[in-house]
Amino acid sequence: MELIKSREGFAPFGSYQTWYRITGDLEGGRTPLVILHGGPGCTYDYVDAYKDVAAGGYPVIHYDQLGNGRSTHLPDMPPSFWTVSLFLEELDNLLEHLGISERYALLGQSWGGMLGSVHAARRPAGLRCLVIANSPVDMGVWMEEANRLRQELPEEIQATLLKHEATGDYMAADYLAATRFFYNKHVCRLNPWPEEVERTFAQVDADPTVYHAMTGPNEFTITGSTKDWSIADCLPQINVPSLLISGRYDEATPRVIQPFLDLVPGIQSAIFENSSHMPHVEERVACMGTVVNFLDHSL
């Protein structure tokens, strides 16, 4: 099997740096696929599997959003610095830096799918298609569904979560263990978690600046600036071929993702029956095949 080459670099973004990695040949003539990771405040690592799409002939670009991973960290910036507009500007800057703004595809996972949807709704001339993977539309609905899923957990897990949330002690060992119990059901059902997934969680723990500012202490306690955010109004403006990916046990439940199906014109969908929030690792081969097939028919 031929080894697909990759290269890394940094895109200057004002006085900051955005780290990126290209898997495949940007000069090969095929439309590149840009991967937008989740969070806000995660890293590229846990969506590293999408590099497999390059085997289908499409160059794949991963990057760490500002404040995360290998990009510039800014732990002293106030929460008000971290905005959706900032990350939209960073994406535009990366596209220009790589010289692909006239022809590219996007795949956004979780928060990345929200970011990608807002970008697509602006109808940039170079965007050819969009993949929305495991993403919410409305953070209020996301929280309601997360709390519904919590009520299905064992009573002792629920009690531990509630006890520490009442005092704001989100770092207690038994609280973190209870959080992980939820994650093992609705975020990644593989046991053990893949190393690249663990790597992202470790990096968020090491510098949670962006995650805490925009999300909160965990996936089901949203206290950050995105708490009341909805992208529903922009979805009808998306005018490129679109694909929605979700997992049967996803924390992005059917109710969470339904507005994409209702509001994005002509959107296709794929549900992975043995996955939760990360079908790209939980059902890696099937997920990559679905994405490559979509690109083949859309580009």
Side-chain angles (χ1 to χ4, degrees):
M1 183 177 178
E2 183 182 356
L3 182 66
I4 298 175
K5 295 181 179 179
S6 67
R7 63 181 177 90
E8 301 178 11
F10 289 90
F13 179 44
S15 59
Y16 313 125
Q17 299 281 328
T18 301
W19 174 89
Y20 64 84
R21 187 191 70 197
I22 303 167
T23 305
D25 182 10
L26 266 190
E27 286 69 50
R30 302 296 293 274
T31 302
L33 176 67
V34 181
I35 310 298
L36 310 178
H37 67 67
C42 290
T43 68
Y44 94 93
D45 302 80
Y46 81 98
V47 285
D48 179 63
Y50 280 115
K51 66 188 178 187
D52 294 359
V53 170
Y58 301 99
V60 177
I61 299 162
H62 285 84
Y63 73 102
D64 282 329
Q65 294 162 21
L66 187 66
N68 308 293
R70 295 152 185 79
S71 296
T72 304
H73 283 241
L74 298 164
D76 296 325
M77 285 296 184
S80 59
F81 175 81
W82 305 103
T83 64
V84 175
S85 295
L86 173 72
F87 292 108
L88 289 169
E89 291 169 14
E90 182 185 32
L91 173 58
D92 288 341
N93 180 75
L94 180 66
L95 298 172
E96 290 290 340
H97 177 80
L98 296 176
I100 62 172
S101 59
E102 294 182 0
R103 187 174 185 87
Y104 62 97
L106 286 184
L107 184 154
Q109 200 278 337
S110 199
W111 135 264
M114 300 181 82
L115 190 68
S117 296
V118 176
H119 176 88
R122 297 179 171 185
R123 299 187 173 182
L127 181 62
R128 294 294 182 264
C129 63
L130 173 68
V131 181
I132 302 163
N134 320 99
S135 301
V137 173
D138 184 290
M139 295 305 292
V141 175
W142 170 277
M143 284 191 288
E144 289 172 7
E145 285 295 279
N147 282 304
R148 182 181 65 79
L149 293 175
R150 277 177 49 158
Q151 291 169 10
E152 299 174 359
L153 299 177
E155 288 186 7
E156 64 271 19
I157 298 292
Q158 294 185 53
T160 297
L161 293 171
L162 290 170
K163 179 181 73 172
H164 290 293
E165 286 165 359
T167 61
D169 186 7
Y170 299 112
M171 299 307 295
D174 55 343
Y175 182 80
L176 294 175
T179 300
R180 182 64 177 250
F181 190 96
F182 177 93
Y183 287 4
N184 287 340
K185 288 178 67 70
H186 298 297
V187 177
C188 182
R189 294 171 72 86
L190 296 182
N191 184 21
W193 282 3
E195 189 273 336
E196 67 265 30
V197 175
E198 293 281 16
R199 202 161 64 230
T200 283
F201 275 77
Q203 291 182 79
V204 174
D205 288 344
D207 183 0
T209 304
V210 182
Y211 192 79
H212 285 176
M214 297 186 74
T215 305
N218 54 51
E219 290 292 287
F220 44 77
T221 309
I222 312 299
T223 56
S225 60
T226 61
K227 180 168 66 77
D228 300 314
W229 189 37
S230 172
I231 62 169
D233 288 350
C234 81
L235 297 182
Q237 306 307 313
I238 296 174
N239 66 343
V240 294
S242 301
L243 170 68
L244 177 67
I245 288 173
S246 62
R248 177 61 65 193
Y249 305 97
D250 206 325
E251 59 180 341
T253 65
R255 182 177 170 228
V256 167
I257 64 173
Q258 187 61 44
F260 286 117
L261 300 172
D262 293 339
L263 299 173
V264 178
I267 194 169
Q268 303 173 46
S269 66
I271 297 176
F272 291 89
E273 295 293 337
N274 297 308
S275 294
S276 56
H277 200 51
M278 299 187 185
H280 56 274
V281 294
E282 294 167 292
E283 296 180 72
R284 182 168 178 165
V285 173
C287 183
M288 299 307 140
T290 297
V291 172
V292 170
N293 184 62
F294 171 71
L295 297 176
D296 285 344
H297 286 87
S298 302
L299 298 174

